[in-house]
Structures are given as structure tokens and as C-alpha cells.
Amino acid sequence: MGKLTNKIRRSIATKLSLGIVLMAIPVFVICVGLLFVQSLYNLKKETDERAASTLKTMELRKASFMSTVETATNSSDWLIKECMQPDLLLELTRRVVMLNANVDGCSITLEPDVLPQAGRYFSAYSVRKGDSVVTVREGSYDYYEKIWYSTPKKMGRACWVGPYDDYNEGTLSAGEHITSYCKPIYDDNGKLLGVIATDLSSKRLAETVDEEKAYAESKVNIGKYYRLAGLIIVLILLGLLLILFFTRQIVGFAIRPVRNLLVQTQRMAEGDYSQQIAYSKKGNVVSRLQNSFARMQSSLNQHISEIQQVNEETARRNDELAHARKLVEKAIHQKTAFVQDISHQIRTPLNIVMGFSQVLCDCGDEMPPEEVKQLTGLMNRNVKLLHRMVQMLLDSSDVGLSEEMKSLKEEHILVNKMARDCISNVYAQFPDSSIAFATSISDQFSLHTNKLYLVRTLRELLYNAAKYSDGKHIILRVAKIGKMLRFVVEDKGPGIDKAYMNQMFVPFTKVNNLSEGLGLGLPLTKRHAKNLGGDLIIDTSYIEGCRIILELPI
């Protein structure tokens, strides 16, 4: 019950509907009550008219029955005077009963000694028993005191007598209350001869009256009245329910924009501004309120959009700053690592050169020539190593890149001769290595390109192959593929792990930080190849070591 009450309190449509219904109930009940009263009046009037008509019909039927009995009695008066014989009188009573269906019995009773041959008393009586008529001469009893005999005798004229019970022990009787039309019989001299009484059964008369059912229609109409009353009550309840239902529907439809505004404002309160409130073209108060909310939402959306743009720009700049900070931190880390690595890489050959030069200065005259030659050769290789690292550092700098772009002077180069010179240069640093050379072009084939950077690129590739492989299975292949000249440097050894292949062309990247080198060899050769109009790629299908392909346009 509490939930229902709260729901009604929270629902504007329900409260308005109940208010309208409460105002409509008196009017509706009064209208239905007036209709009921008018219907009841019409029903009563119709019932009275039907009852009066039925009673009148019943009166006419009763008068018809009585008229029939009187006619039958009156028409037998003259016959009695003509038939003053016992048998004829018996037959006459029988004839009156048989010929008149409304007659239940007929008796002719004579004064004492009127028929001496029949004795002092004589009474002929016929009575209807079902479908037959029984006729008898009644026994001697004091019938002169009976109401049906004494009344017309005293009055001296015909009259109706009864109802009365004509039962006499030992005599024939109707066995029920009867009403009789009695008429005295006089001779021509005015002497009383007797009385003829024609009986009409009270039961038959009552049945005749019941057949008309004077108030049957009244009973039916009373039943209709009660049914009408029940129907009116049902209609009142149904009408109230329908009024409540349609009122709530109409009110709900009328305040639907307000309900929609409530839903929209709740969404806005939760931070959802995606669904726009529609504008209404109606001019009522609710429509104006809806349009005001729509304008307010548009303004809020505009301000929120501006705030979101500012937030997005701020977030983007924060991300850029965070990324720049990471780059700076990474650069600082790389710088520190690079300084430490370059210090180590330079210090080692410098220490060798400085140490051996000190030895030569202190006791060079005393050392055998072979040992001196060995030391000078070792010092020469480390000096070249220092020169190579310095040259790579210069190439990797912006100054080196600028000089490379400016000095791209092209000249004709004998390819095979240039390749053999590069192999010889590597032998000088790795005398124990074995480098094979295979070419499919003639020794006179020349390439119009920059010799300096092509030589640096091939030397670096051969240098890496001799340094990081077994040094015994290195091969340099030269071939012409279409409009491109291809140099392939192939070795057998550990090769390059596939996980690091994409990082090998990033400057200062080393697979092993403890290994020799600056991590600039392959990045610089890649840059040289690009600047020469070609490309440098690692063949990932080769798994026995490392295979690097240099392609240049012819």
C-alpha cells in the first residue's frame, strides 16, 4: 500500500487523473442516477399498464364464464316446466353440464310433494368428473336449508351464491368449493316449483384467473428492475474505470514532453549530453518550457565542447611533453652510454699504441727486428681502428651528413677492381680471414657513382663479416639484375637474431653492449646506400649466418 501511495505521489499523470475523476464522479453518478430513476418510472408505468390490461381481460373472461352459466340456466327454465318427470329432469341437468364446458354441475330441486309419483322430496343432480358427467337423484336430506336453495327462494329471483362447500355425507357432491347461479322456478300461476342451481367450480375459476397471470408481467418487470439496477451499478463502476483510464492516458499524453524533459535532465545530470532535446512548434506552456531546455542544452553542449577541446589540447600537449621528456631521458641515457662506450672503445687501442710506443722508445734498439715489426704492425692496426671509429663518428654527425650530401661527386668506377681492393683492405686488418669473390660481370664493367661512399659501404660490410663470423666462409658476389647492380656479402656464423633485425639500422644500437664497435656500421652503410640511390637489406631467408644485399642503380 505504501509503494502504491508513493507511486501516486510521484506520478503527476496519476494525481491529475485522480483529481479529474473525483470531480467527474458526482456528475457521472447524478447523470446515471437520473437515467436510472427515469428508467424505473417508465418501467413502473409500463408494469401498471400491463397489469391493468391483464386485470381487465381477466374481468371480461370471468364475466364471460358467468354469462355462459346464466344463459345455460335461464334457457333451461321453460324446459323444466315442460318436463316435470323425474327422468326428464335428470336428463335435463345432464344436458346442461355436457353442453356447457364452463359448468361443473347442475341441480334441479323441487318443493315437497311437487312430484307425488317421486315421493315427497326430489332433487336431480349432475356433476362433471374429469371427462365424464355423473347424473343421480339425490337422497333425502334437508336441502331446503342450503344456501343455494334458501337464498333465491327468499329473494324470489335469480342470484349468485357462494362460494360454499356442498359436501353432504351419503350424497353426490363436487368435492370442492363451488359458486352457483341459482334461479327459482315458478309455474304459470306464480307458485314456486323449485330451484335450478348451475355450479361453477371456484377452483376452475381460480385456474382461469391464474391463466391470465395478471401480475406475471409485473414480476418479470420487477426482475428486470433488479437486473437493471445491477447493470447500472456495473456500468457506473465500468464507467469510472474507463474515465480513470482515458483520463490518465490523456493527461499522460499531455505531460509526455515534461516526462521526456525529466529523462533528459537526469541524463544531463549523469553527464550524458549526447541526445539533443527536440524543439517543439507548439505554443503552449509545456512546449515553451521544452524549447527553453533545448536552448539551455545547446548552450551547455557548446561550452562543454569548448572545455573538451581545451582538455584534449592540454592532454595532447601533456602527452607531447611526456614523450619529449622520455626522448630527452632516453637521449641522456644514450649519451651517457655512448660516452662510456666510446671511451672504452678508444681507450683500448690508445693504450696499446701508447704502451708499445713507450716500449719502442725505451728498448727499441735492443729488440730484434722481427719483434719490432710485429709491434709496429699491431700499433698500425689499432691506429686504423681509431681512424675508422673517428671517421664513423664524423659520418654519423650532422656535419658528416652535410659533407656527404655535398660531396656526392659521381665518377666511373671499375666494379670488379673496386671490389678486389675492398677485399685487400679487409685482409690487411684480418690477415687470417678467407674472402671469396664471385662476379658475373666483366672486369671492364663500370658504374657511374660516388666511389668514396661505395668503398666505405663495401669495406664496412666485409669488415663486419670478417669480425663477427668464423672468417673462413666469406664471399662477395657481384651481379647485374635488370637495371640494378647487386653486391651480396655472405658469411657463415651466428648471424643476426631475428628479434634484433629491425633495430640493426638504428644508430648506436648494439646487440651486445659488451662487444666491440659503436653501433654505427650498418646504419651508416644504409644511409650511404640510400644517398647513392639504392638500398641495403638483410636477407631473412638465409639461416646459416648473415647475408646482406646492396643494390645500386646502373
Side-chain angles (χ1 to χ4, degrees):
M1 187 64 182
K3 293 182 179 179
L4 179 61
T5 304
N6 292 332
K7 185 175 181 181
I8 293 175
R9 288 177 179 176
R10 295 177 61 185
S11 177
I12 298 177
T14 303
K15 289 192 289 187
L16 290 176
S17 301
L18 289 177
I20 294 174
V21 169
L22 290 177
M23 290 187 293
I25 283 176
V27 178
F28 182 76
V29 172
I30 290 173
C31 293
V32 174
L34 291 175
L35 177 63
F36 175 72
V37 171
Q38 183 63 34
S39 301
L40 182 62
Y41 172 76
N42 293 335
L43 183 63
K44 183 176 179 300
K45 182 178 179 181
E46 180 184 358
T47 302
D48 292 342
E49 291 176 355
R50 287 179 177 271
S53 176
T54 303
L55 289 174
K56 186 175 182 180
T57 302
M58 184 180 64
E59 288 287 342
L60 292 175
R61 291 195 63 184
K62 186 185 75 170
S64 175
F65 285 176
M66 296 178 70
S67 176
T68 301
V69 172
E70 290 175 1
T71 301
T73 303
N74 294 330
S75 62
S76 301
D77 186 8
W78 66 274
L79 288 174
I80 295 173
K81 297 175 183 180
E82 298 295 330
C83 301
M84 292 297 290
Q85 297 292 330
D87 293 337
L88 294 177
L89 292 175
L90 289 171
E91 181 61 28
L92 181 59
T93 59
R94 181 181 180 85
R95 182 171 177 272
V96 170
V97 174
M98 291 186 66
L99 294 179
N100 298 278
N102 295 328
V103 175
D104 289 293
C106 180
S107 64
I108 299 176
T109 304
L110 301 180
E111 283 287 301
D113 299 323
V114 172
L115 291 177
Q117 67 272 25
R120 180 175 174 79
Y121 302 104
F122 179 82
S123 177
Y125 184 50
S126 294
V127 64
R128 191 183 300 277
K129 296 291 185 180
D131 294 333
S132 61
V133 177
V134 179
T135 303
V136 296
R137 176 182 174 181
E138 292 188 279
S140 299
Y141 71 95
D142 191 8
Y143 46 76
Y144 299 107
E145 298 299 327
K146 294 296 182 180
I147 189 173
W148 52 269
Y149 191 89
S150 61
T151 299
K153 181 178 178 181
K154 291 178 181 179
M155 295 178 64
R157 60 180 178 82
C159 63
W160 283 94
V161 178
Y164 61 91
D165 185 4
D166 191 37
Y167 175 74
N168 294 290
E169 186 177 354
T171 63
L172 181 64
S173 62
E176 58 187 23
H177 285 76
I178 58 176
T179 300
S180 301
Y181 179 73
C182 306
K183 183 179 182 181
I185 304 170
Y186 296 95
D187 59 8
D188 295 336
N189 297 322
K191 179 182 178 181
L192 178 64
L193 299 177
V195 174
I196 179 174
T198 306
D199 303 330
L200 180 62
S201 172
S202 298
K203 180 179 180 182
R204 178 183 292 274
L205 184 61
E207 291 176 351
T208 302
V209 172
D210 289 340
E211 287 179 0
E212 293 298 328
K213 300 184 185 298
Y215 293 95
E217 291 293 334
S218 300
K219 294 179 181 179
V220 173
N221 290 335
I222 292 173
K224 289 182 179 179
Y225 163 73
Y226 287 115
R227 287 196 296 272
L228 179 61
L231 180 61
I232 292 297
I233 294 173
V234 173
L235 288 177
I236 291 175
L237 296 177
L238 183 60
L240 292 176
L241 291 176
L242 290 176
I243 289 175
L244 179 61
F245 174 76
F246 286 111
T247 303
R248 194 179 188 284
Q249 294 296 319
I250 294 171
V251 173
F253 178 79
I255 67 171
R256 184 180 300 171
V258 178
R259 189 182 295 112
N260 294 336
L261 288 178
L262 176 61
V263 174
Q264 292 283 20
T265 53
Q266 288 176 346
R267 289 180 178 175
M268 292 169 63
E270 295 172 358
D272 183 9
Y273 296 88
S274 59
Q275 188 170 358
Q276 180 66 34
I277 299 176
Y279 284 89
S280 176
K281 296 181 179 179
K282 299 178 182 179
N284 53 37
V285 176
V286 176
S287 298
R288 293 197 296 271
L289 177 63
Q290 180 177 347
N291 294 336
S292 298
F293 271 93
R295 288 191 294 271
M296 180 185 70
Q297 186 186 23
S298 299
S299 179
L300 286 175
N301 287 337
Q302 182 178 357
H303 291 300
I304 291 172
S305 178
E306 294 175 356
I307 294 173
Q308 288 177 347
Q309 290 178 359
V310 173
N311 291 337
E312 290 175 357
E313 182 66 19
T314 304
R316 185 182 64 81
R317 292 184 179 180
N318 289 336
D319 292 340
E320 291 177 354
L321 290 174
H323 181 66
R325 180 180 178 182
K326 290 181 180 179
L327 292 178
V328 170
E329 292 176 352
K330 184 178 180 181
I332 294 173
H333 176 72
Q334 289 179 344
K335 175 184 176 182
T336 303
F338 173 73
V339 170
Q340 293 175 352
D341 186 48
I342 196 65
S343 299
H344 172 72
Q345 296 291 341
I346 294 176
R347 189 183 298 114
T348 300
L350 279 177
N351 289 336
I352 293 174
V353 172
M354 291 175 63
F356 287 155
S357 62
Q358 185 66 39
V359 170
L360 290 175
C361 290
D362 292 342
C363 55
D365 296 338
E366 300 175 359
M367 295 177 64
E370 294 293 334
E371 189 174 351
V372 172
K373 183 179 180 180
Q374 184 179 0
L375 290 177
T376 56
L378 185 59
M379 291 172 63
N380 183 43
R381 285 196 299 272
N382 281 277
V383 169
K384 289 181 178 179
L385 178 61
L386 284 173
H387 179 268
R388 176 175 174 272
M389 286 191 292
V390 171
Q391 186 64 46
M392 292 177 67
L393 287 173
L394 291 174
D395 287 346
S396 64
S397 66
D398 293 338
V399 175
L401 177 60
S402 177
E403 291 181 355
E404 180 180 350
M405 297 302 295
K406 291 178 181 179
S407 62
L408 285 178
K409 295 184 293 184
E410 295 185 352
E411 54 185 301
H412 289 282
I413 305 170
L414 294 176
V415 176
N416 288 341
K417 182 179 181 303
M418 182 268 303
R420 293 185 181 97
D421 291 341
C422 291
I423 293 173
S424 298
N425 180 268
V426 175
Y427 274 138
Q429 299 183 48
F430 299 94
D432 296 333
S433 62
S434 175
I435 302 175
F437 177 63
T439 179
S440 62
I441 60 176
S442 65
D443 291 341
Q444 286 74 31
F445 182 83
S446 64
L447 180 66
H448 189 70
T449 186
N450 187 281
K451 180 179 180 180
L452 175 63
Y453 290 104
L454 176 57
V455 170
R456 285 183 181 180
T457 301
L458 283 178
R459 283 180 180 179
E460 183 65 26
L461 295 178
L462 293 171
Y463 179 87
N464 287 339
K467 182 177 179 180
Y468 296 108
S469 70
D470 59 2
K472 303 299 181 181
H473 301 87
I474 302 172
I475 183 171
L476 172 61
R477 293 189 180 92
V478 181
K480 180 181 178 184
I481 308 297
K483 294 183 178 181
M484 302 295 289
L485 185 64
R486 174 177 293 182
F487 297 88
V488 179
V489 179
E490 179 182 309
D491 63 55
K492 291 185 179 181
I496 302 175
D497 193 347
K498 289 185 178 180
Y500 296 98
M501 283 187 178
N502 293 330
Q503 303 177 15
M504 296 311 297
F505 297 112
V506 179
F508 305 107
T509 300
K510 297 168 62 176
V511 176
N512 185 2
N513 291 329
L514 299 178
S515 62
E516 294 183 1
L518 301 176
L520 292 173
L522 286 178
L524 287 176
T525 56
K526 179 80 169 180
R527 192 182 75 181
H528 295 336
K530 290 286 187 180
N531 290 333
L532 294 174
D535 197 5
L536 183 73
I537 59 175
I538 299 175
D539 187 0
T540 57
S541 63
Y542 184 71
I543 60 175
E544 295 182 3
C546 181
R547 178 188 291 164
I548 298 179
I549 302 173
L550 171 63
E551 290 185 342
L552 298 174
I554 298 175

